[in-house]
């Protein structure tokens, strides 16, 4: 019996649906890998417990005063979590002209007006270094000044930012204390706080669009894909031509939006126009040279959509996957922050006039062991996320295989019972070792690629040969990662049907790819187009709906609870969330299509192409091949 054929079923440990299908009985695979996987998770738990014991995550987010004390963290300022910048000079209040960045203090609450009196620390002129001893030390005289408070507002729950616009800008400009890219990012995100209900509604809209897209593919896959492909071509060319023609039109609405975020609006408009034209040209090339691929693989896509809608519980899989991945990602990020917080705090120098004085700022220094611990957590995070991807792919493959091998009854298939729950249990209890092995390989390659990318960014420009070599290695690792992900995805299908170990499944997949490479290539090309068109459509529609909705009076009224302060930022955030929602839907479609094709190839190799369970739409695909001799 060849590796691509299916062995007879046994009556051991197999449910009714599997007994009626061509799927083999459940058995544990790659047990040794499962033991290693569980031991690794236990080690990650030990790292996290150690970080809880030795670290303090507040060190990463709380500001520190001029003495180097972390506001709200260190004992001396435990009840004062806010960092406040006094006015430059001896007088403050609403008339303050500038801030004293060198001497911040900690406060229990941000002053909202100038009615409070605040004791600020000041430094007198430092002693001339020439008068110091041979060690080069010098002294600084400190004194107190009672100032009227500067009216401020709470920012991020950590900083007291002046209500005065000029003073606030001095804090967040590039050379200001809050001018870093990270702080600026949080500042932009904070503008979305008031419109979070609208963002939630945008997510729901994206979910509805995802289901509508799958439903439309089931009915009119060919017409929909071609229609959306043409629409994307027209849209990208329209955007490109508009941006190039109106690049100097300062009164235009698009130009005004671009000017608000770019220092050179004209060149930014040109860049947007050129990129849009390039994307339009790419879609034109796809429509011209891949038309046969689209027509052939539409059958697989329609069958995949029919399969998904025949199993209602499988419709929940994209949402559950996105939710679980989001929660796990937040937990892993939280653990990484705790790992970083274990580092020792060191004083850093800051400028004071023409001198530099130690003790005002702090930096974190990690020992070699702490760096190893952090790297271990980062790799573990990648492995866990890849494992979730593998489990998700297995769930879809197992469910679709059950549906495929279910015989027709009265002209229709009766979908298997609770496929989502059953596939999850089978994947976790019987095949976690195989899924862990496949995800480990991808995580390892991804980790190596990230290391080379880090090296690329830190290689000096004076050594272009080394930089080019590292870039080439990083590119090769990316290609190898994509190859592994492709093999893994199909190996999980073989594991779902044949219950093989990961390595055996990989060998079977390579044999199938060698014998049916044309069909697999065409299907992957067509589903890729369907994924790109679907994700782009969901993202663009959500963006347009969000941007136009933000222009309504309800969302422009500053006194409204639904006020949207920055329509462009809001629409961009809504589009980003819609894209994240669209990805699980598109990946489910891709995995279901691949599983149907792999199931039919196995049937074909066994000579069972006309079985009572074979979906008609899949049989038509291979009938066309028999008549024409090509896909």
């Amino acid at each position: 019996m060849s590796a691509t054929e299916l062995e007879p079923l046994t009556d051991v440990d197999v449910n009714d649906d599997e007994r009626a299908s061509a799927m083999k009985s459940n058995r544990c695979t790659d047990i040794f890998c499962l033991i290693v996987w569980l031991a690794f998770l236990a080690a990650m738990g030990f790292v996290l417990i150690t970080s809880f014991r030795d670290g303090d995550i507040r060190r990463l987010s709380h500001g520190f005063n001029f003495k180097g004390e972390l506001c709200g963290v260190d004992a001396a300022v435990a009840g004062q979590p806010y960092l406040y910048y006094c006015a430059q000079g001896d007088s403050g209040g609403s008339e303050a002209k500038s801030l004293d960045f060198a001497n911040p203090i900690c406060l229990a609450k941000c002053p909202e007006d100038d009615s409070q009196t605040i004791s600020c620390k000041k430094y007198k002129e430092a002693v001339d270094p020439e008068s110091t001893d041979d060690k080069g030390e010098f002294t600084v005289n400190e004194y107190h000044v009672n100032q009227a408070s500067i009216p401020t507002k709470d920012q991020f729950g950590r900083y007291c930012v002046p209500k005065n616009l000029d003073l606030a800008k001095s804090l967040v400009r590039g050379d200001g204390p809050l001018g870093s890219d990270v702080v600026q990012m949080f500042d932009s995100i904070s503008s979305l706080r008031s419109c979070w209900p609208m963002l939630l509604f945008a997510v729901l809209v994206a979910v509805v669009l995802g289901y509508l897209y799958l439903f439309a593919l089931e009915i009119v896959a060919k017409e929909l894909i071609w229609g959306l492909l043409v629409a994307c071509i027209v849209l990208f060319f329209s955007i490109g031509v508009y941006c190039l023609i109106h690049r100097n039109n300062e009164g235009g609405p698009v130009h005004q939006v671009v000017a608000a975020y770019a220092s050179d609006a004209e060149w930014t408009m040109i860049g947007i126009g050129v990129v849009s034209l390039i994307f339009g040209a790419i879609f034109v090339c796809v429509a011209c040279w891949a038309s046969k691929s689209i027509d052939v693989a539409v059958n697989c896509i329609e069958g995949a959509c029919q399969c998904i809608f025949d199993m209602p519980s499988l419709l929940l899989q994209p949402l559950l996957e996105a939710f679980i991945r989001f929660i796990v990602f937040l937990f892993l990020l939280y653990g990484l922050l705790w790992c970083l917080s274990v580092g020792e705090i060191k004083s850093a120098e800051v400028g004071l006039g023409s001198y530099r004085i130690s003790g005002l700022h702090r930096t974190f220094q990690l020992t070699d062991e702490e760096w190893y611990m952090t790297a271990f957590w980062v790799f573990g995070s990648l492995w866990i996320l890849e494992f979730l991807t593998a489990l998700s792919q297995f769930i879809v493959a197992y469910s679709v295989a059950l549906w495929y091998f279910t015989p027709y009854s009265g002209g229709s298939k009766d979908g298997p019972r609770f496929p989502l729950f059953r596939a999850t249990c089978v994947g976790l209890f019987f095949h976690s070792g195989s899924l862990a092995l496949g995800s480990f390989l991808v995580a390892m390659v991804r980790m190596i690629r990230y290391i080379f990318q880090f090296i690329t960014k830190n290689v000096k420009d004076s050594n272009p040969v080394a930089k080019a070599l590292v870039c080439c290695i990083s590119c090769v690792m990316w290609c190898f990662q994509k190859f592994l992900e492709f093999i893994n995805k199909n190996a999980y299908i073989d594991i779902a049907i044949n219950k093989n170990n990961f390595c055996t499944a990989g060998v079977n997949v390579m044999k199938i790819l060698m014998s049916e490479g044309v069909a697999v290539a065409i299907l992957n090309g067509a589903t890729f187009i369907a994924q790109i068109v679907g994700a782009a459509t969901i993202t663009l529609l959500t963006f347009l709906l969000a941007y136009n909705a933000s222009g309504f009076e309800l969302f422009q009224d500053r006194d409204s609870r639904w006020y949207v302060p920055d329509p462009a930022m809001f629409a961009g955030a809504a589009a980003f969330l819609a894209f994240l929602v669209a990805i699980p839907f598109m990946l489910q479609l891709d995995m279901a299509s691949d599983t149907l094709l792999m199931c039919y190839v196995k049937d074909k190799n066994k000579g069972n192409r006309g079985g009572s369970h074979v979906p008609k739409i899949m049989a038509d695909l291979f009938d066309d091949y028999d008549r024409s001799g090509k896909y």
Side-chain angles (χ1 to χ4, degrees):
M1 180 174 292
S2 67
T4 58
E5 293 180 351
L6 301 177
E7 299 177 3
L9 295 174
T10 66
D11 292 330
V12 181
D13 192 24
V14 63
N15 55 51
D16 294 338
D17 289 330
E18 288 176 326
R19 183 178 289 109
S21 71
M23 299 174 67
K24 295 172 64 176
S25 59
N26 292 316
R27 68 183 184 92
C28 293
T29 57
D30 294 302
I31 298 178
F32 176 76
C33 296
L34 173 61
I35 296 174
V36 174
W37 168 241
L38 295 177
F40 190 92
L41 293 179
M44 288 190 68
F46 175 77
V47 169
L48 187 60
I49 293 174
T50 302
S51 300
F52 287 158
R53 182 192 64 197
D54 300 335
D56 190 337
I57 198 172
R58 294 177 300 174
R59 298 177 180 177
L60 302 178
S61 58
H62 284 246
F64 41 83
N65 64 11
F66 71 101
K67 292 182 179 180
E69 297 168 337
L70 283 170
C71 298
V73 177
D74 291 344
V77 288
Q80 301 172 337
Y82 291 95
L83 191 70
Y84 173 86
Y85 291 92
C86 297
Q88 189 75 36
D90 294 341
S91 60
S94 301
E95 303 300 324
K97 302 300 182 182
S98 61
L99 301 177
D100 183 5
F101 296 146
N103 305 297
I105 62 174
C106 299
L107 294 179
K109 184 180 180 181
C110 291
E112 298 181 357
D113 50 38
D114 58 2
S115 62
Q116 302 181 34
T117 300
I118 296 178
S119 177
C120 297
K121 300 293 181 67
K122 300 294 179 181
Y123 289 102
K124 288 185 178 180
E125 186 69 22
V127 178
D128 189 339
E130 295 181 358
S131 64
T132 62
D133 56 24
D134 295 337
K135 295 182 179 180
E137 297 178 353
F138 56 91
T139 60
V140 179
N141 297 319
E142 174 188 312
Y143 67 100
H144 298 259
V145 171
N146 290 327
Q147 289 185 350
S149 59
I150 300 175
T152 61
K153 59 182 179 180
D154 176 3
Q155 191 80 355
F156 313 139
R158 299 289 183 268
Y159 302 99
C160 297
V161 176
K163 294 180 180 179
N164 181 284
L165 184 60
D166 293 333
L167 295 179
K169 287 183 177 179
S170 69
L171 276 176
V172 299
R173 68 191 182 196
D175 57 348
L178 306 182
S180 68
D181 293 337
V182 175
V183 175
Q184 293 284 0
M185 178 186 68
F186 278 108
D187 184 57
S188 298
I189 294 176
S190 67
S191 66
L192 302 174
R193 288 180 180 178
S194 61
C195 51
W196 69 265
M198 292 297 298
L199 290 176
L200 180 60
F201 181 75
V203 170
L204 296 178
V205 169
V207 170
V208 173
L209 291 175
Y211 285 123
L212 288 177
Y213 182 70
L214 293 180
F215 181 73
L217 283 177
E218 181 185 10
I219 300 176
V220 286
K222 182 176 180 179
E223 293 79 2
L224 181 64
I225 290 178
W226 277 104
L228 291 177
L229 189 60
V230 172
C232 287
I233 293 174
V234 174
L235 179 63
F236 279 116
F237 274 113
S238 299
I239 293 175
V241 172
Y242 179 89
C243 289
L244 293 178
I245 292 178
H246 296 275
R247 64 184 184 276
N248 294 319
N249 183 12
E250 297 182 358
V254 177
H255 194 284
Q256 291 179 354
V257 173
V258 172
Y261 296 93
S263 57
D264 193 331
E266 179 180 353
W267 280 103
T268 302
M269 292 276 288
I270 293 175
I272 295 175
V274 171
V275 171
S276 299
L277 292 178
I278 291 175
F279 273 103
I282 292 175
F283 278 105
V284 169
C285 294
V286 169
C288 294
W289 284 291
S291 58
K292 182 61 177 178
S293 300
I294 297 175
D295 291 338
V296 170
V298 159
N299 289 15
C300 287
I301 295 174
E302 289 179 348
C305 294
Q306 179 185 348
C307 168
I308 292 172
F309 280 99
D310 278 352
M311 296 182 287
S313 66
L314 199 60
L315 293 172
L316 300 176
Q317 187 269 335
L319 297 182
L320 292 176
E321 178 190 357
F323 177 76
I324 292 174
R325 289 182 69 88
F326 179 71
I327 297 299
V328 172
F329 175 78
L330 290 181
F331 171 76
L332 295 173
L333 179 61
Y334 183 69
L336 176 61
L337 296 178
W338 272 99
C339 290
L340 294 174
S341 71
V342 175
E344 182 182 359
I345 298 176
K346 295 288 187 179
S347 296
E349 292 186 339
V350 294
L352 181 62
S354 59
Y355 306 102
R356 302 193 66 82
I357 299 178
S358 300
L360 299 183
H361 285 223
R362 293 180 170 187
T363 59
F364 288 87
Q365 292 185 357
L366 300 176
T367 64
D368 290 342
E369 292 78 9
E370 291 164 350
W371 275 117
Y372 296 149
M373 183 175 67
T374 303
F376 180 84
W377 183 269
V378 171
F379 175 74
S381 299
L382 294 177
W383 193 0
I384 290 175
L385 292 176
E386 292 296 340
F387 181 85
L388 291 178
T389 299
L391 179 61
S392 172
Q393 292 174 336
F394 177 86
I395 290 172
V396 176
Y398 183 88
S399 302
V400 173
L402 278 180
W403 177 86
Y404 176 90
F405 290 112
T406 299
Y408 277 93
S409 176
S412 63
K413 284 179 176 282
D414 294 328
R417 297 160 296 177
F418 311 110
L420 183 62
F421 174 76
R422 289 165 51 189
T424 303
C425 293
V426 171
L428 290 177
F429 290 110
F430 292 100
H431 305 296
S432 286
S434 300
L435 301 180
L437 177 56
S439 56
F440 170 81
L441 296 176
V442 177
M444 179 62 72
V445 174
R446 187 185 295 273
M447 184 75 173
I448 295 174
R449 184 168 66 87
Y450 287 161
I451 292 175
F452 276 105
Q453 288 179 344
F454 176 79
I455 295 175
T456 302
K457 293 182 179 180
N458 289 274
V459 172
K460 295 182 179 179
D461 295 334
S462 58
N463 194 346
V465 176
K467 194 166 188 176
L469 179 60
V470 174
C471 288
C472 291
I473 295 176
S474 179
C475 181
V476 170
M477 295 304 298
W478 180 83
C479 294
F480 185 57
Q481 176 189 322
K482 293 302 177 182
F483 172 76
L484 275 179
E485 290 174 349
F486 177 76
I487 295 297
N488 284 5
K489 179 181 68 172
N490 290 280
Y492 300 145
I493 299 174
D494 185 88
I495 294 172
I497 299 173
N498 289 332
K499 310 303 187 293
N500 287 320
N501 290 325
F502 177 80
C503 294
T504 304
V507 172
N508 290 346
V509 167
M510 293 302 297
K511 291 181 179 180
I512 291 176
L513 293 178
M514 287 171 34
S515 62
E516 305 291 343
V518 176
V520 174
I522 289 177
L523 176 61
N524 277 274
T527 52
F528 177 75
I529 294 173
Q531 287 177 277
I532 294 298
V533 172
T537 301
I538 294 172
T539 302
L540 288 173
L541 286 178
T542 305
F543 175 83
L544 294 175
L545 288 174
Y547 188 78
N548 285 280
S550 63
F552 294 159
E553 182 178 355
L554 175 65
F555 306 117
Q556 289 298 305
D557 185 3
R558 293 181 177 272
D559 297 328
S560 172
R561 60 178 301 186
W562 309 107
Y563 172 60
V564 178
D566 191 336
M569 175 62 68
F570 164 71
F576 177 73
L577 293 175
F579 177 74
L580 294 181
V581 170
I583 288 176
F585 284 94
M586 301 302 107
L587 293 180
Q588 184 190 54
L589 173 65
D590 176 61
M591 194 65 187
S593 302
D594 288 346
T595 303
L596 286 179
L597 182 60
M598 294 290 284
C599 290
Y600 194 84
V601 167
K602 289 179 179 294
D603 262 352
K604 183 172 77 80
N605 292 339
K606 194 178 179 181
N608 190 29
R609 298 174 56 178
S612 61
H613 62 272
V614 178
K616 182 179 182 302
I617 201 166
M618 298 297 297
D620 292 342
L621 173 63
F622 284 89
D623 288 341
D624 292 340
Y625 173 71
D626 289 338
R627 289 192 298 268
S628 63
K630 62 180 181 179
Y631 291 101

